[in-house]
Amino acid sequence: MNTQDAFSSSYKQARAKFTEAAHARQLKVKSYIHPQLGRDGEELAIDVVMHGDAQADKLLIVSSACHGVEGYCGSGVQIYALHDTAFQAHCDANKISVLYLHALNPYGFSHIRRFTHENVDLNRNFQDFTKPLPSNPEYRAIHPLLLPKKWPPNWVNKTAIALHIARYGMKALQKAISGGQYEIADGLFYGGIAPTWSNLTLRQILQDHAQHAKQLAWIDLHTGLGEAGACERAFAGPASERVAAARAQMWWGNAGATPLTFIGDENSVSSPLTGLMWQVAYDECPQAEITSLAMEFGTQPLLMVLEALRAEQWLTNHPETAPDKAQAIKQQLRDAFYVDTDDWKEKIAAQGMQALYQAFSS
């Protein structure tokens, strides 16, 4: 398949390409329908496709669009993989079944949002909501600066942000914003106060399709942090799982060429985070040996990405915004998480497929 053809210009097109690729392989598509409609009035769903024996001991999960707009990238990798006959043959020869989860947050993908229809960051939503939720006073302190009453920000706001960075550092600002917060429902990186639709549906999917796996590998595809086209590979599991981390390093570290980080480590492009999605695998698949990888593909400089997120959240909080301004903000967010160039797409497809081949490698 031509690499460019695997990527799409909208959720609607991506879903069509994904289902067409599955049907071309004579694979069934099971759709978990979202309660709301898409940007163009289209049906939304998490679409699930299984390649291989549903009872196989080895199961590789490949998921996209945990963060809605990041689905432009992840969907492209999934579609490319479904068209890759060599990859299918590799999985068959090694008795690996592949479970493709297309668009974990279909609302965000369609509406060009990072967050769900509940305004929740899905990858901060996997908490035990019967217990006190984490506190983020650093976010609370800067929330008024991040989402001013008018957009774009005036020079006073820009100066205040610059002074905050000068005083505390860029890493501290990133941690305060992206670490997750559970108090301000119309703010950034809100983790929610209950499981979202996507959280509950993902659990149901794992109950439906992953209960026979004895070895479970999971590759979750993300964008937005790091140099454009570069990829950070991060172990997606608790730091205490040293055996699993070592196994992930053996599979995906390329003998040191692509060493794995731990999410939030000093050397990681990500800040320390809370309520991460990897927890669901341990909750719903206790019978399996779990090894998970988060792939983070770079797009734009961090400040540009944060600016786009601020703008889009401001827009969500101000639905009365003029259509031309709203469209410009949505395009700004799309550009922050998806680089629509042939070179970028080729890098993403090549690195994504390499990681898929490496799952369960010795």
Side-chain angles (χ1 to χ4, degrees), residues 173-222:
L173 179 67
Q174 181 185 358
K175 179 182 177 182
I177 297 173
S178 68
Q181 57 90 13
Y182 299 83
E183 297 177 38
I184 305 174
D186 62 353
L188 290 163
F189 294 84
Y190 176 59
I193 56 173
T196 61
W197 176 87
S198 288
N199 180 329
L200 297 173
T201 304
L202 176 56
R203 293 179 184 278
Q204 185 62 55
I205 290 168
L206 294 180
Q207 291 168 20
D208 291 346
H209 301 282
Q211 297 306 299
H212 292 278
K214 294 181 179 177
Q215 294 175 275
L216 191 156
W218 191 335
I219 297 176
D220 190 35
L221 301 159
H222 292 264

Side-chain angles (χ1 to χ4, degrees), residues 36 64-65 89 107 124 143 148 230 236 256 268 277 284 315 341:
Q36 298 197 14
S64 67
Y107 181 91
R124 310 293 183 274
H143 173 76
S268 173
M277 189 174 68
E284 305 301 335
L315 175 64
T341 65

Side-chain angles (χ1 to χ4, degrees), residues 150-152 314-315 321-331:
K150 294 184 178 181
W151 197 271
W314 180 91
L315 175 64
T321 301
D324 57 341
K325 185 175 182 178
Q327 183 178 357
I329 289 174
K330 288 293 187 180
Q331 186 64 49

Side-chain angles (χ1 to χ4, degrees), residues 85-347:
T85 55
F87 176 62
Q88 307 303 327
H90 162 82
C91 293
D92 291 342
N94 289 279
K95 298 182 179 180
I96 299 169
S97 292
V98 186
L99 186 66
Y100 296 94
L101 310 184
H102 186 264
L104 295 175
N105 173 12
Y107 181 91
F109 193 169
S110 176
H111 287 271
I112 315 180
R113 296 214 71 209
R114 189 177 183 276
F115 309 120
T116 69
H117 69 284
E118 303 102 333
N119 196 49
V120 168
D121 183 322
L122 181 58
N123 211 25
R124 310 293 183 274
N125 185 240
F126 290 83
Q127 296 281 2
D128 181 348
F129 289 102
T130 66
K131 297 179 180 179
L133 295 170
S135 178
N136 188 344
E138 291 80 10
Y139 178 85
R140 190 187 317 124
I142 62 171
H143 173 76
L145 282 179
L146 297 174
L147 297 172
K149 292 182 179 180
K150 294 184 178 181
W151 197 271
N154 59 25
W155 69 269
V156 176
N157 180 273
K158 292 179 180 179
T159 300
I161 295 274
L163 289 173
H164 189 281
I165 294 172
R167 181 175 182 181
Y168 298 105
M170 191 64 215
K171 275 284 190 182
L173 179 67
Q174 181 185 358
K175 179 182 177 182
I177 297 173
S178 68
Q181 57 90 13
Y182 299 83
E183 297 177 38
I184 305 174
D186 62 353
L188 290 163
F189 294 84
Y190 176 59
I193 56 173
T196 61
W197 176 87
S198 288
N199 180 329
L200 297 173
T201 304
L202 176 56
R203 293 179 184 278
Q204 185 62 55
I205 290 168
L206 294 180
Q207 291 168 20
D208 291 346
H209 301 282
Q211 297 306 299
H212 292 278
K214 294 181 179 177
Q215 294 175 275
L216 191 156
W218 191 335
I219 297 176
D220 190 35
L221 301 159
H222 292 264
T223 64
L225 294 175
E227 182 180 347
C231 178
E232 177 175 286
R233 300 181 175 200
F235 173 64
S240 58
E241 291 285 340
R242 294 297 178 182
V243 174
R247 188 166 53 246
Q249 188 73 258
M250 180 177 63
W251 291 356
W252 292 304
N254 288 325
T258 54
L260 266 66
T261 63
F262 285 88
I263 294 172
D265 270 4
E266 184 177 335
N267 296 326
S268 173
V269 295
S270 175
S271 294
L273 310 174
T274 183
L276 294 177
M277 189 174 68
W278 54 254
Q279 180 61 48
V280 73
Y282 293 87
D283 292 345
E284 305 301 335
C285 303
Q287 83 289 346
E289 175 187 86
I290 297 167
T291 317
S292 300
L293 176 72
M295 300 189 75
E296 182 75 47
F297 297 102
T299 50
Q300 294 182 350
L302 179 58
L303 275 176
M304 293 179 66
V305 174
L306 291 177
E307 185 82 353
L309 286 166
R310 293 173 62 202
E312 200 281 329
Q313 185 64 55
W314 180 91
L315 175 64
T316 299
N317 296 350
H318 293 83
E320 73 282 0
T321 301
D324 57 341
K325 185 175 182 178
Q327 183 178 357
I329 289 174
K330 288 293 187 180
Q331 186 64 49
Q332 182 184 3
L333 186 77
R334 185 179 186 273
D335 292 343
F337 289 94
Y338 177 57
V339 182
D340 196 1
T341 65
D342 291 353
D343 178 66
W344 190 84
K345 294 171 189 175
E346 288 169 2
K347 289 178 180 177

